Amino acid sequence: MSKTQIKKNDTVLVIAGRSKGKRGRVLRVDRKHGKVLVEGCSMVKKHVRPNPQKQVKGGIAERESAMDLSNVKLVTES
């Protein structure tokens, strides 16, 4: 477990990786594994099977992927 100042709904700046330079809102923090999920950053494509019972259309969906905590920096709004 790592200590961090980053919490859910904070605004962060991505400082490393393929989404470098983007700002986004934190959706989820996993302190046990040292990962963070940032809105609109580190997008991956996931193949989804159609499920009529849950009203899920099939196809390729884009969603956020978790990134390491060391790759983001907390942005203070002042």
Side-chain angles (χ1 to χ4, degrees):
M1 287 211 205
S2 64
K3 279 193 154 189
T4 179
Q5 301 296 321
I6 298 173
K7 300 182 295 285
K8 186 177 175 180
N9 291 326
D10 282 346
T11 303
V12 294
L13 174 68
V14 180
I15 58 173
R18 64 178 177 212
S19 297
K20 183 177 181 178
K22 288 187 181 178
R23 285 181 186 222
R25 187 171 54 94
V26 175
L27 300 176
R28 189 173 65 216
V29 178
D30 184 4
R31 284 175 174 57
K32 184 176 179 182
H33 295 106
K35 301 284 183 180
V36 65
L37 195 69
V38 181
E39 185 177 43
C41 296
S42 188
M43 300 297 283
V44 294
K45 293 182 188 284
K46 178 177 171 63
H47 294 265
V48 180
R49 176 169 287 168
N51 189 344
Q53 294 174 341
K54 295 182 181 178
Q55 273 70 36
V56 175
K57 281 183 126 181
I60 301 172
E62 265 196 293
R63 52 175 261 185
E64 291 92 0
S65 174
M67 63 175 68
D68 203 74
L69 262 170
S70 64
N71 293 346
V72 296
K73 180 171 82 169
L74 187 62
V75 175
T76 54
E77 305 287 328
S78 54

